[in-house]
Amino acid sequence: MIDIQTLTLQVKKNCNISDAQYWGWYSVCGLLLRLRDLYRAERGIKLWEGIQRKEISEWIEERENLWKEFECRTFEDIVINGKAYKPFEVQKINSVLNKENLIYGAGYGIHMKPSFFLADLLSRYTVDGHEVYIGGKEYARDLADNPAMVQDGVIYGRLDTTRLHLWGKLDELQGKGPESPLAFAFSKYGITKEKVTIEKLEQQMSGLSLSELETYIHHEVGEAFEGELLGEAWEDLVIEYSGTKVEFFARSVKDILSDTSEKGMAKYIIKHKKEGSLGFYIVFLQGYRKLIFPEIKDAFEKFVSTAEWELIERARQAGYKKAKSYAERLLSLHDRHRTGKDQLIKCLEQDILNGLL
């Protein structure tokens, strides 16, 4: 029998070590939003409940002091039933935890930030040859808020994180017009500006979150497929240029490739005519990804009045072709400037970014 409290503390310690070493990569606004969500998760505050400013301020001060203590620590092993596992031995750890209906995740996100979570295991199934694990209630997590991740071909979905991710958009809904992508997306799940009981809203958001998590899973399917095509040279590029414009642009290119792939999220949305997912895709398309893939926004604006999925399919194909071209150019630049890191960044700005901005 696994002691869940002891296990949670072990995973949480590694979460804190990661946060202590990488919190500075976030913008001030991004960090505060993540701290708010982490506070809500750790204190078990329901999504519709308010947060007391004094209490969260004290918690943030305590967390900052903890980070000072942990900023030079190394990640610790996860010990289960007397046996120690390295924190990234995910499959070995899960071979033990799954028997207790638990799921553990560990991987690297933007800035190569290590990310960990521990949750109840809700379900396990296969999609396009990939094992998929869906986690529910989370016992431990860090600042990263990815709804899903893929590691070694295995996909991990996080329902709690997905629900938190989407619930945060409800406040924005009040200030949006009926034709906005956000209002469009929520309306497809029966959610509008009209007031309903918390019980009904929670039920609606639960159904929405499950549906959207399934959509996110297909981004990871595309991620795995396109990652194999790009090969190790792409991984080397992202690692070598961590924290620079090259990494941010490369990750955005990879995201669009994954989304628009024949195996990816956009194809899944089109195949199943998931109008709500299409709306949320537009809502969350930001930064370089929005600049790389403007075709989808134009297609969506026409789709709202025509409901012609062929518009979205043509945009998907155009987006894939463009992202593929950017990926090839990045790899070519990387190959030419292996000994000149600054030169590659300069070439990226001159040859690619100037044409987007």
Side-chain angles (χ1 to χ4, degrees), residues 208-266:
L208 185 158
S209 300
L210 278 168
S211 178
E212 290 304 305
L213 179 55
E214 189 63 30
T215 302
Y216 295 146
I217 293 298
H218 283 79
H219 168 85
E220 302 304 322
V221 174
E223 180 92 8
F225 180 75
E226 295 300 328
E228 288 187 12
L229 295 180
L230 289 171
E232 292 183 4
W234 186 266
E235 294 181 13
D236 293 342
L237 183 153
V238 171
I239 293 172
E240 183 177 347
Y241 288 88
S242 177
T244 70
K245 289 181 180 179
V246 174
E247 183 204 357
F248 302 146
F249 185 73
R251 286 188 180 277
S252 297
V253 167
K254 176 74 175 298
D255 278 342
I256 298 300
L257 265 180
S258 303
D259 290 338
T260 58
S261 170
E262 286 290 331
K263 302 285 187 179
M265 184 162 72

Side-chain angles (χ1 to χ4, degrees), residues 23-212:
W23 68 266
W25 286 107
Y26 296 116
S27 67
V28 173
C29 180
L31 177 61
L32 288 175
L33 289 173
R34 284 172 169 79
L35 283 168
R36 180 200 64 187
D37 290 345
L38 186 59
Y39 174 78
R40 187 182 291 278
E42 290 192 358
R43 294 300 175 91
I45 300 172
K46 296 185 183 299
L47 295 173
W48 57 86
E49 292 179 341
I51 294 176
Q52 297 298 317
R53 181 176 297 182
K54 182 177 183 295
E55 292 179 2
I56 191 173
S57 295
E58 292 174 350
W59 177 86
I60 289 175
E61 184 177 353
E62 291 172 0
R63 189 52 49 99
E64 288 174 341
N65 290 333
L66 181 66
W67 287 349
K68 290 177 183 177
E69 180 186 343
F70 280 11
E71 61 187 358
C72 295
R73 296 267 189 103
T74 57
F75 296 119
E76 298 185 3
D77 289 350
I78 303 297
V79 180
I80 307 172
N81 295 334
K83 184 173 181 179
Y85 301 87
K86 298 298 180 185
F88 290 97
E89 290 183 318
V90 179
Q91 293 190 34
K92 289 182 179 179
I93 292 172
N94 279 326
S95 68
V96 179
L97 296 188
N98 291 168
K99 298 172 185 177
E100 302 289 336
N101 291 319
L102 294 169
I103 182 69
Y104 170 79
Y108 293 90
I110 193 167
H111 309 301
M112 297 306 294
K113 181 189 187 301
S115 182
F116 310 93
F117 76 90
L118 175 68
D120 286 330
L121 176 60
L122 293 184
S123 61
R124 176 180 178 180
Y125 54 93
T126 302
V127 172
D128 202 38
H130 296 275
E131 279 190 285
V132 178
Y133 295 84
I134 302 297
K137 175 186 174 182
E138 294 191 352
Y139 298 98
R141 54 159 290 184
D142 58 274
L143 286 171
D145 58 355
N146 301 315
M149 66 174 74
V150 59
Q151 186 190 53
D152 298 328
V154 180
I155 298 171
Y156 303 90
R158 302 169 62 183
L159 185 58
D160 259 15
T161 299
T162 301
R163 187 181 290 114
L164 190 64
H165 190 60
L166 293 166
W167 198 285
K169 288 295 178 182
L170 277 174
D171 287 340
E172 294 182 27
L173 183 60
Q174 298 304 316
K176 300 293 184 181
E179 297 302 318
S180 69
L182 187 63
F184 177 90
F186 274 122
S187 72
K188 298 306 173 181
Y189 290 98
I191 300 172
T192 65
K193 293 182 182 181
E194 295 180 10
K195 290 186 177 180
V196 295
T197 64
I198 286 297
E199 290 76 16
K200 182 177 181 180
L201 183 58
E202 185 179 18
Q203 184 180 39
Q204 289 174 318
M205 287 299 295
S206 292
L208 185 158
S209 300
L210 278 168
S211 178
E212 290 304 305

